[in-house]
C-alpha cells in the first residue's frame, strides 16, 4: 500500500502533535467552520512548506483538508446529532494540525470513518489524514505512516467497591 507522507512530513507532524498536549488548554474565541464556538481558535500558519508530500501538495493547492474522525467517542471524537457539533480531544488535535498546515477551520471537512475503514479511506484518498483512536501495531505500520502517538493510554478495569470477588487484574 502507498505511503502518504514522507519522513520529513512525518517529522513535522510528530512535532506538531507532540506540542498539541501543551496547547489543548490554550486558545479561545470562536472557531470558524464545523464545531462549537467554545472550541479554541488556532492560529493558521502562513507559508508552510513540506517537500515530497503529494498529500500536502493537494491540500495546499485546494486550500482545504479532509480529515477522517470518529463520531461515537465522547471526549475524544464525538458528533452531537442534535446540534451537529463535533467535539473531543481528537477533534481539537485535527483542528490544530490543519491550522499548523496552513488550513483555516472553515476549510476542514470532517469525515466520519468507521474503525474498520481507516486504512481504506486513506488508501482511496477519501481523507487526507485520520485523527482518532488507533492502536499503532507492526501490521498497521506496514499499511500507513503514523505521526505519533500523541496520546498514550492503557486499559483499566473498574470494579464496584463492595465487590470482593475480584482482587487483581490477573
Amino acid at each position: 500500500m502507498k505511503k502518504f507522507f514522507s519522513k520529513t512530513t512525518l517529522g513535522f507532524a510528530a512535532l506538531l502533535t507532540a506540542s498539541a498536549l501543551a496547547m489543548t488548554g490554550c486558545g479561545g474565541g470562536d472557531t470558524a467552520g464545523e464545531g462549537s464556538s467554545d472550541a479554541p481558535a488556532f492560529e493558521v500558519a502562513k507559508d508552510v512548506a513540506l517537500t515530497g508530500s503529494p498529500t500536502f501538495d493537494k491540500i495546499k493547492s485546494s486550500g482545504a483538508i479532509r480529515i477522517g474522525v470518529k463520531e461515537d467517542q465522547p471526549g475524544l471524537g464525538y458528533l452531537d446529532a442534535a446540534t451537529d457539533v463535533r467535539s473531543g480531544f481528537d477533534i481539537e488535535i485535527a483542528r490544530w494540525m490543519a491550522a499548523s498546515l496552513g488550513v483555516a477551520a472553515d476549510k476542514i471537512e470532517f469525515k466520519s470513518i468507521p474503525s474498520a475503514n481507516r486504512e481504506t479511506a486513506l488508501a482511496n484518498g477519501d481523507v487526507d489524514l485520520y485523527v482518532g483512536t488507533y492502536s499503532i501495531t507492526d501490521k498497521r505500520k506496514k499499511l500507513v505512516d503514523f505521526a505519533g502517538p500523541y496520546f498514550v493510554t492503557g486499559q483499566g478495569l473498574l470494579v464496584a467497591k463492595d465487590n470482593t470477588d475480584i482482587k487483581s487484574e490477573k
Side-chain angles (χ1 to χ4, degrees):
M1 188 177 289
K2 178 181 170 188
K3 298 284 187 176
F4 293 92
F5 288 105
S6 69
K7 294 296 181 190
T8 302
T9 305
L10 285 175
F12 179 73
L15 177 62
L16 294 177
T17 54
S19 300
L21 292 174
M23 295 198 49
T24 55
C26 301
D30 292 341
T31 298
E34 195 172 342
S36 168
S37 62
D38 294 335
F42 299 104
E43 184 175 342
V44 177
K46 307 281 188 239
D47 301 320
V48 178
L50 297 174
T51 307
S53 172
T55 303
F56 179 74
D57 293 344
K58 184 176 72 166
I59 292 166
K60 186 142 179 132
S61 69
S62 72
I65 190 168
R66 293 168 303 156
I67 303 176
V69 295
K70 294 247 189 158
E71 64 178 24
D72 59 351
Q73 295 182 323
L76 294 170
Y78 183 71
L79 176 62
D80 185 319
T83 63
D84 203 34
V85 171
R86 291 190 186 274
S87 62
F89 183 73
D90 291 334
I91 302 302
E92 294 309 310
I93 293 291
R95 288 182 177 128
W96 179 71
M97 287 181 69
S100 297
L101 291 169
V103 180
D106 64 342
K107 298 297 184 183
I108 300 171
E109 177 188 352
F110 288 104
K111 294 188 79 168
S112 296
I113 306 293
S115 294
N117 299 345
R118 294 174 289 209
E119 292 94 354
T120 304
L122 286 165
N124 292 342
D126 298 333
V127 295
D128 299 313
L129 58 103
Y130 176 83
V131 180
T133 56
Y134 196 13
S135 299
I136 300 173
T137 65
D138 289 338
K139 180 180 176 184
R140 289 178 174 162
K141 286 179 185 178
K142 294 176 184 173
L143 301 174
V144 296
D145 284 328
F146 290 88
Y150 61 87
F151 183 75
V152 179
T153 185
Q155 293 184 343
L157 177 64
L158 297 176
V159 179
K161 190 175 185 176
D162 61 351
N163 183 330
T164 58
D165 296 333
I166 299 174
K167 297 178 178 25
S168 75
E169 69 277 2
K170 296 180 181 181

